[in-house]
Amino acid sequence: MKLLYTVVPFAPLVGAIVAGLWGNRLGRTATHRITILGVLIAFLASVAIFFDVHNGNTFNGPLYTWGTSDGLTFEVGFLIDSLTVTMMLVVTFVSLMVHIYTIGYMADDPGYCRFFSYISLFTFSMLMLVMSNNFLQLFFGWEAVGLVSYLLIGFWYTRPTAIYANLKAFLVNRVGDFGFLLGIGLIAAYAGTLDYAETFAQAEKLATMNEAVTGWPLITAICIALFIGAMGKSAQVPLHVWLPDSMEGPTPISALIHAATMVTAGIFMVARMSPLFELSDTALSFVLVIGATTAFFMGILGIVQSDIKRVVAYSTLSQLGYMTVALGASAYSVAIFHLMTHAFFKALLFLSAGSVIIAMHHDQDMRNMGGLWKYLPVTWLTALIGALALIGTPFTSGFYSKDSILIAVAHAQIPGATYAYFCVMAGVFVTAFYTFRMIFLVFHGKERFGQAHAHHDHAAHGSDDHHHGLAPGEKPHESPKVVTVPLVLLAIPSLLIGAFTIDAMLFGGWFANVIFVDEARHGSIAALREEFHGALAMGLHGLTSLPFFIALAGVALAAFFYLVRPDLPDRIAARVRWLYTILVNHYYFDRFNEIVFAGGARRLGRWLWQIGDRTVIDGAMVNGSAQIVGEVAEAGAALQSGRLYHYAFSMILGIAVLLLFLYLV
Amino acid sequence: MSGMPLLSLAIWIPIIGGVLVLAAAGNDRRAFEARLISLFAAALGFAVTLPLWFQFDPTTSAMQFVELREWIPRYNIRYYLGVDGISMPFVVLNSFITLIVVIAGWEVIQKQVAQYLAAFLIMSGIINGVFSALDAVLFYVFFEASLIPLYLIIGIWGGPNRVYAAIKFFLYTLVGSLLMLVAILYLFAASGGSFDLLEWHRLPLTLTEQKWLFLGFLLAFAVKVPMWPVHTWLPDAHVEAPTGGSVVLAAIALKLGAYGFLRFSLPIAPDAAQAFQGLMVALSLIAVVYIGFVALVQEDMKKLVAYSSVAHMGFVTLGFFLFNALGMEGAIVQMVSHGFVSGAMFLCIGVLYDRLHTRRIADYGGVVNTMPKFAAFFLLFAMANSGLPATSGFVGEFMVTLAAVKVNFWIAAAAATTLILGAAYSLWMYKRVVFGAVANPQVAALQDINRREFVILAAMAFFVLLLGIWPMPLLEVMHTSVDALLAHVAAGKL
């Protein structure tokens, strides 16, 4: 089996190398065939491994020894269990869909082969991340997906906004990694190992210790440090700022990396570390509050976006917040469940948005759309399925996972739970509103396209040459099969997978022995189990429960604003100008970072360079001492006057000093 | 092969090669012959170091490949060579980098070709001497002699401000060396007339003696590393040096100082080293953080990479003075890695400079449009410079940071800021130089790298990745020697 495990990540890597080095020589068709074959092999192998794990065969072992030092062994290896294989299936399936979709989406792009190389490289990195059995390799995958994300956000490298966004994404992630690395360092220092299983075996011992220098409770310090890493990768407030800008990348990678897989790495990591997080209520509270804040306040920003991709991006932020809330409520399996359903319906929404963008000739402004359902029937239907799942309509996959989160938070007892509950419930309304605002603006209402960029507000979303738009009178067309088939294939699990898997994933023993919950102290998952009487009953009950009505109200309000009275939103925005200004500026996070951190670092650097290096060290010390040498030399030169009596006097003086010296000794 | 004096060959083949180049092809009309002889000498010099690696016995901390001959019997000065797991990798690295530098200068240097190549070859031999000398006088001679070729390389083939840079470089290092000479003479007297380094390691010394000796060596080595605040010669020297000079300076010359700590300061004055731990750690962290900020605002690419070298070498000295095996091995890996990464960064800047004759970041922009292959290499090295896992730049920083957590969490936290700062200065420069639309007609006219440039960058990339993906072989070589050194430091002399 070890060979099969190895095949999963390395098949996409081979594809990536071939496409990257020889893609242009092989041609487009050969390149996409090779990379798709690699991902297909990875997917099929994952399916085989899934059945194997289902039969109870797990694996934990090294691939090779990376290094040894000071009693620590650094290894590259695999941990194959139910959590791993769930992630492997999600990653390889979504990646496969995105690979196929890319054939259509990137058809006109000169960087076609490069793009395939990057997304296969990403698939490799992400698989190494989720399959790891130790912190070193986790960090490897962690940074490698960051690298590919950097490459893909900056894929169109001539756009100023894209190369600004990719640098920002990398640096903000590095801020998270700063915490992550220190967390790993604490584990290495106090547990003496980087292996997951060996670390977990010592978790109880770590929980009784304090950090030697700072005096912090060790387990809390470790968990919060690791979570800071997760905040970067999974875009939690205040390290979320990179994700909306990452939409500068091509849409397929927004679906794959910035919605379905990479951004969920932080969620996966915390779930994997459940034996550690369960031991620190402080860390869990921190996780809960950060997640709730992200879920609610980022969702609100989705309301004021006019770029279709940015709506979905803020929605992703908000949904990542929901997953984080579930983690904080000790409902790790629920978080992974929502991660999985979200991967399907959010990838679907992004790819639908991409299909719309193709039809609109790369105009992403929803104010130029409207009434598209007639022209893009498949895209419309699949996007609608994605939207219904996103807002948690009963019986869709999103309903099962989101409703479970709501119940779990309702039963959470740790500090911050009340605040979190308010945020996630209010978030349901916000989600429903912005989602259907998007659906109505894009697919329904008056047809606003083909008006030669009447509203084309360049400043709002960064002007660039890729925003063409439809010519006057031109009608949009449905996208080709390579685009719509992945949409349909993603729509099916978006609808159904929740109902079929909820029992096994949350209550059955799928994650037994993998995810650890201390049910005596954290009762959320136990309460969920008590209330659960089958998927059908849960769906029926959902039709009469509060979240459903809240969501319904959100949809109704969106319908009123954007179908019945489309003049209202602008008038309301004008009324509460101050609030609108704060929202369109994303709460001024970007401005603050730009001035305080980026600007501050540059000012500090310039000050240290000019004052520290140039004035003090070079000016006073180096050139100063050279100057003293020079002056002494000049003084010495003045002595050589050429007058005989000067020399004679000096000689006598010298002899006198010498004699005195000898006499004294 | 085992019977051959491999270390002597590694020292003298390049030096004799250099003399031959001067004698046979001193005139520029015979530049091609000069290049050919140099390439042959460098390749042969590298080839004789390979058995050092493959026949090395990693199970002992004793000196290997030892050669011992009388030199000046009157003062008990001997021609005494040998390497252990700490010094051996640097002999191999140095010989490899020399080969790269000879190829890198192939058609770039058109004036005084033979003299240029001879300077590099001779310096390569001298530096191998530094890493393998076990007699203090022999070490001192090589250590000082290594200044001369570098001084000439900067002073003759350098940029417009080369004389200032060369003299600053020379004075800085000379002042440091003089204090070292005093320390060496003191040890000669204290040991009853021996220059044997290994004997000095065992020599009992009081704490006061050790402290003075430590400080005497400190300035010499700190200038070479360079540590803050005696680092300001490095950016000037790099900016004025030709590409090859920068590569050797960054990849090899900086390692001499760091190596000096391991061969002199720590084993001879172990108790003083521990007494000064706070000072050394503080200076190292200042190098990492302060210099990181300074690197961020540089407008000249070479200055930026020069400052980033200082920051990376901060990790080396930090790793030494944590006094645990993880930190010290991480520091040595960092030294080797920095040789490849920093060397490659300077090669990349050289590739651009050869075409546009400017190193100002503002003169570039959108290079990827005209030089995609170059952009790919440059990205790999920039990422390695910012410590991306699976590149060599990660290994040392990771190990040293982990080692620092064991000693003091706050030291680790300060060191870990390199994750942010390193990425910020490397990638911000990369963005401004490589990404974007074509900035000006000069960039539009750029030609992508030729086959010769491709080969040298690919060779560097190979080692950057190999060391990042599998550092085990390098770590295995040094385990025993590092453990022995740390045990010696821990035992002390009091």
Side-chain angles (χ1 to χ4, degrees):
Chain A
M1 282 311 279
K2 197 167 158 188
L3 180 67
L4 193 63
Y5 301 146
T6 316
V7 163
V8 175
F10 285 95
L13 179 66
V14 170
I17 292 172
V18 171
L21 294 184
W22 299 289
N24 289 330
R25 219 170 300 165
L26 289 170
R28 295 180 163 220
T29 315
T31 299
H32 74 232
R33 276 190 190 149
I34 289 167
T35 50
I36 288 172
L37 181 68
V39 178
L40 183 67
I41 291 171
F43 173 64
L44 294 177
S46 301
V47 171
I49 293 167
F50 169 78
F51 285 110
D52 192 50
V53 172
H54 198 68
N55 291 333
N57 297 321
T58 58
F59 176 83
N60 180 12
L63 199 61
Y64 72 94
T65 303
W66 184 77
T68 57
S69 183
D70 209 4
L72 275 174
T73 305
F74 304 104
E75 283 177 337
V76 171
F78 295 140
L79 170 59
I80 307 291
D81 60 14
S82 51
L83 180 57
T84 308
V85 82
T86 306
M87 293 299 291
M88 283 160 68
L89 282 175
V90 170
V91 170
T92 51
F93 178 72
V94 177
S95 175
L96 185 62
M97 292 304 112
V98 167
H99 271 77
I100 296 168
Y101 179 93
T102 298
I103 300 173
Y105 192 86
M106 299 297 282
D108 308 325
D109 201 284
Y112 190 82
C113 299
R114 185 164 57 97
F115 190 84
F116 274 98
S117 172
Y118 288 172
I119 54 176
S120 279
L121 182 64
F122 168 78
T123 311
F124 161 76
S125 309
M126 189 71 199
L127 286 167
M128 287 303 274
L129 190 162
V130 298
M131 293 170 76
S132 168
N133 71 344
N134 65 77
F135 288 95
L136 174 79
Q137 188 183 336
L138 177 69
F139 196 65
F140 264 62
W142 197 262
E143 291 259 305
V145 292
L147 166 73
V148 191
S149 166
Y150 169 83
L151 291 171
L152 282 164
I153 297 170
F155 185 78
W156 288 313
Y157 47 71
T158 51
R159 293 191 196 181
T161 46
I163 59 176
Y164 173 80
N166 75 344
L167 182 63
K168 177 172 164 184
F170 200 88
L171 292 184
V172 173
N173 268 293
R174 273 292 172 99
V175 174
D177 294 348
F178 167 79
F180 199 53
L181 180 62
L182 291 175
I184 294 174
L186 286 171
I187 289 169
Y190 289 91
T193 176
L194 288 180
D195 185 84
Y196 291 161
E198 288 172 20
T199 306
F200 298 159
Q202 301 181 50
E204 296 287 348
K205 188 192 88 186
L206 297 177
T208 63
M209 295 165 76
N210 285 329
E211 212 284 322
V213 177
T214 55
W216 297 329
L218 184 61
I219 197 82
T220 302
I222 290 174
C223 289
I224 289 184
L226 291 177
F227 182 67
I228 288 171
M231 287 164 67
K233 196 101 313 184
S234 291
Q236 299 295 303
V237 174
L239 298 183
H240 66 283
V241 289
W242 65 273
L243 187 63
D245 286 358
S246 76
M247 296 301 128
E248 290 295 335
T251 304
I253 65 111
S254 304
L256 176 62
I257 300 184
H258 303 121
T261 57
M262 182 188 87
V263 288
T264 61
I267 311 298
F268 161 77
M269 189 271 292
V270 176
R272 180 55 94 197
M273 298 306 138
S274 60
L276 303 179
F277 278 82
E278 273 303 283
L279 298 172
S280 170
D281 280 7
T282 315
L284 285 176
S285 276
F286 184 70
V287 172
L288 190 68
V289 168
I290 294 283
T293 307
T294 309
F296 179 62
F297 289 96
M298 291 302 119
I300 287 182
L301 295 185
I303 295 173
V304 296
Q305 303 301 314
S306 50
D307 181 315
I308 181 169
K309 278 183 73 181
R310 289 203 172 232
V311 177
V312 191
Y314 278 104
S315 159
T316 304
L317 280 175
S318 167
Q319 295 304 307
L320 288 167
Y322 273 91
M323 296 174 213
T324 307
V325 166
L327 297 172
S330 291
Y332 306 97
S333 52
V334 178
I336 296 295
F337 184 43
H338 194 54
L339 185 163
M340 179 184 76
T341 60
H342 175 260
F344 293 122
F345 66 69
K346 189 52 64 68
L348 172 61
L349 277 174
F350 259 121
L351 295 186
S352 312
S355 176
V356 169
I357 293 168
I358 301 173
M360 294 298 297
H361 292 198
H362 291 275
D363 183 357
Q364 301 181 187
D365 195 329
M366 296 192 296
R367 289 167 296 189
N368 301 336
M369 300 178 186
L372 290 181
W373 69 275
K374 267 187 291 188
Y375 307 100
L376 309 170
V378 181
T379 304
W380 167 67
L381 196 64
T382 53
L384 191 62
I385 289 171
L388 290 171
L390 172 58
I391 69 167
T393 315
F395 301 108
T396 63
S397 66
F399 161 75
Y400 289 104
S401 54
K402 189 179 283 182
D403 221 45
S404 303
I405 292 177
L406 299 177
I407 298 168
V409 177
H411 289 92
Q413 300 291 333
I414 57 174
T418 318
Y419 167 74
Y421 187 68
F422 163 76
C423 283
V424 291
M425 284 307 256
V428 171
F429 177 80
V430 175
T431 308
F433 183 77
Y434 70 68
T435 306
F436 273 82
R437 170 179 174 266
M438 175 180 75
I439 293 287
F440 294 143
L441 276 177
V442 173
F443 293 106
H444 301 274
K446 214 170 120 250
E447 294 179 7
R448 298 180 298 273
F449 48 81
Q451 294 175 358
H453 300 220
H455 302 288
H456 211 131
D457 183 0
H458 278 274
H461 48 71
S463 64
D464 55 65
D465 50 338
H466 279 260
H467 284 230
H468 305 301
L470 292 170
E474 195 180 352
K475 296 290 179 206
H477 299 287
E478 181 62 284
S479 302
K481 278 265 165 33
V482 284
V483 169
T484 53
V485 168
L487 293 182
V488 173
L489 290 179
L490 282 166
I492 296 167
S494 298
L495 267 181
L496 301 178
I497 199 154
F500 283 101
T501 58
I502 181 170
D503 201 355
M505 282 185 76
L506 303 194
F507 315 118
W510 178 238
F511 288 136
N513 306 322
V514 175
I515 286 172
F516 170 77
V517 181
D518 182 359
E519 295 203 359
R521 294 195 303 129
H522 305 132
S524 300
I525 197 83
L528 258 176
R529 192 182 303 123
E530 221 157 87
E531 291 183 15
F532 183 74
H533 305 291
L536 181 67
M538 185 174 172
L540 289 172
H541 180 257
L543 286 171
T544 58
S545 64
L546 183 63
F548 179 61
F549 295 116
I550 295 177
L552 216 54
V555 177
L557 192 67
F560 181 71
F561 276 176
Y562 296 98
L563 295 179
V564 184
R565 290 287 303 276
D567 57 313
L568 269 184
D570 284 343
R571 283 165 59 183
I572 292 173
R575 258 292 177 60
V576 282
R577 194 86 241 163
W578 60 273
L579 181 62
Y580 185 74
T581 314
I582 290 174
L583 294 182
V584 292
N585 286 293
H586 326 112
Y587 306 116
Y588 292 97
F589 271 109
D590 289 327
R591 190 80 58 86
F592 179 81
N593 291 339
E594 182 57 49
I595 292 171
V596 175
F597 292 117
R602 283 195 295 264
R603 266 195 301 280
L604 178 62
R606 228 163 263 139
W607 187 82
L608 290 173
W609 182 36
Q610 298 293 357
I611 305 295
D613 267 29
R614 289 210 162 157
T615 310
V616 178
I617 297 176
D618 267 0
M621 283 163 58
V622 180
N623 299 346
S625 48
Q627 206 168 342
I628 290 169
V629 172
E631 278 162 13
V632 170
E634 248 164 62
L639 287 176
Q640 298 173 9
S641 56
R643 288 168 210 265
L644 196 62
Y645 61 89
H646 278 178
Y647 293 153
F649 178 73
S650 309
M651 228 164 84
I652 292 162
L653 201 67
I655 290 167
V657 171
L658 197 65
L659 285 175
L660 190 69
F661 180 76
L662 286 176
Y663 174 75
L664 286 175
V665 175
Chain B
M1 284 292 279
S2 55
M4 294 180 78
L6 289 171
L7 291 172
S8 281
L9 289 176
I11 295 169
W12 295 108
I13 285 177
I15 293 180
I16 293 169
V19 174
L20 265 179
V21 170
L22 283 178
N27 194 314
D28 271 349
R29 274 173 303 173
R30 309 178 68 178
F32 183 72
E33 286 92 325
R35 293 187 184 114
L36 220 55
I37 299 171
S38 307
L39 182 63
F40 181 73
L44 192 64
F46 176 53
V48 297
T49 62
L50 290 178
L52 293 177
W53 178 273
F54 289 107
Q55 294 175 8
F56 187 80
D57 176 7
T59 59
T60 172
S61 65
M63 291 295 163
Q64 304 184 32
F65 308 102
V66 173
E67 296 171 33
L68 181 55
R69 280 187 190 78
E70 292 300 323
W71 182 18
I72 310 174
R74 189 169 166 194
Y75 295 105
N76 205 8
I77 297 172
R78 297 178 300 176
Y79 180 80
Y80 185 14
L81 303 175
V83 286
D84 63 358
I86 293 170
S87 50
M88 186 274 287
F90 293 100
V91 176
V92 183
L93 175 71
N94 173 41
S95 303
F96 172 75
I97 294 290
T98 305
L99 185 59
I100 291 285
V101 164
V102 167
I103 303 173
W106 199 258
E107 67 231 23
V108 178
I109 299 295
Q110 292 292 350
K111 279 192 194 137
Q112 291 165 298
V113 179
Q115 288 80 353
Y116 175 86
L117 291 167
F120 280 103
L121 286 171
I122 292 170
M123 185 160 65
S124 169
I126 291 171
I127 286 174
N128 280 342
V130 177
F131 285 122
S132 45
L134 295 177
D135 181 282
V137 173
L138 191 63
F139 176 90
Y140 189 77
V141 168
F142 280 130
F143 194 80
E144 293 308 302
S146 71
L147 273 178
I148 300 167
L150 205 52
Y151 177 75
L152 293 177
I153 288 166
I154 296 170
I156 295 174
W157 291 272
N161 212 1
R162 57 181 180 264
V163 176
Y164 171 74
I167 289 178
K168 193 173 178 182
F169 161 71
F170 195 78
L171 286 179
Y172 242 123
T173 44
L174 198 67
V175 170
S177 306
L178 287 176
L179 286 175
M180 178 166 76
L181 184 63
V182 175
I184 286 177
L185 291 177
Y186 182 85
L187 281 164
F188 176 68
S191 64
S194 167
F195 283 113
D196 186 335
L197 276 180
L198 302 181
E199 209 165 291
W200 289 2
H201 291 179
R202 294 187 295 268
L203 182 69
L205 293 164
T206 68
L207 186 60
T208 319
E209 283 178 307
Q210 287 191 36
K211 281 186 172 171
W212 284 108
L213 287 169
F214 186 89
L215 291 174
F217 285 119
L218 175 63
L219 194 60
F221 298 143
V223 164
K224 273 271 164 68
V225 167
M227 296 178 77
W228 186 88
V230 288
H231 64 279
T232 61
W233 64 272
L234 187 70
D236 285 322
H238 268 307
V239 167
E240 301 305 329
T243 301
S246 283
V247 172
V248 169
L249 187 56
I252 307 298
L254 301 190
K255 309 301 159 0
L256 298 179
Y259 172 73
F261 280 113
L262 297 181
R263 192 60 85 218
F264 283 82
S265 309
L266 292 187
I268 291 173
D271 304 292
Q274 292 186 32
F276 286 121
Q277 182 187 27
L279 173 75
M280 299 304 291
V281 167
L283 291 180
S284 305
L285 289 177
I286 291 174
V288 172
V289 179
Y290 169 119
I291 298 296
F293 279 109
V294 172
L296 191 63
V297 297
Q298 297 307 309
E299 284 146 13
D300 180 308
M301 285 191 270
K302 262 195 166 175
K303 266 204 170 147
L304 195 152
V305 179
Y307 273 112
S308 93
S309 281
V310 180
H312 286 126
M313 291 307 284
F315 264 89
V316 174
T317 47
L318 176 62
F320 289 168
F321 286 89
L322 293 171
F323 299 123
N324 60 46
L326 190 60
M328 189 168 285
E329 293 183 358
I332 297 171
V333 173
Q334 172 83 345
M335 285 163 72
V336 175
S337 157
H338 179 263
F340 291 120
V341 175
S342 200
M345 288 295 277
F346 282 117
L347 285 173
C348 284
I349 295 168
V351 165
L352 290 176
Y353 184 79
D354 291 342
R355 286 161 173 72
L356 250 60
H357 298 285
T358 168
R359 290 178 310 260
R360 268 166 45 87
I361 293 170
D363 292 334
Y364 291 87
V367 168
V368 62
N369 297 289
T370 42
M371 301 178 73
K373 281 185 208 150
F374 169 78
F377 278 118
F378 197 18
L379 181 68
L380 174 69
F381 299 131
M383 281 290 174
N385 205 39
S386 46
L388 189 82
T391 66
S392 65
F394 166 75
V395 186
E397 290 183 6
F398 178 72
M399 290 173 70
V400 172
T401 308
L402 256 51
V405 177
K406 280 191 182 178
V407 175
N408 184 322
F409 182 80
W410 294 115
I411 295 176
T417 56
T418 192
L419 275 181
I420 305 162
L421 291 170
Y425 59 67
S426 303
L427 297 184
W428 191 33
M429 172 183 80
Y430 188 82
K431 169 186 178 249
R432 286 177 293 168
V433 171
V434 176
F435 284 147
V438 172
N440 54 50
Q442 285 83 22
V443 172
L446 280 175
Q447 295 286 315
D448 209 344
I449 47 177
N450 60 32
R451 189 165 297 174
R452 178 185 58 84
E453 290 163 333
F454 182 88
V455 167
I456 54 174
L457 292 179
M460 297 298 255
F462 175 77
F463 286 106
V464 165
L465 287 172
L466 179 69
L467 199 51
I469 292 169
W470 198 39
M472 185 74 174
L474 179 61
L475 289 168
E476 274 181 330
V477 161
M478 65 178 76
H479 281 326
T480 319
S481 299
V482 167
D483 288 344
L485 174 57
L486 283 169
H488 177 76
V489 172
K493 289 185 166 182
L494 300 177

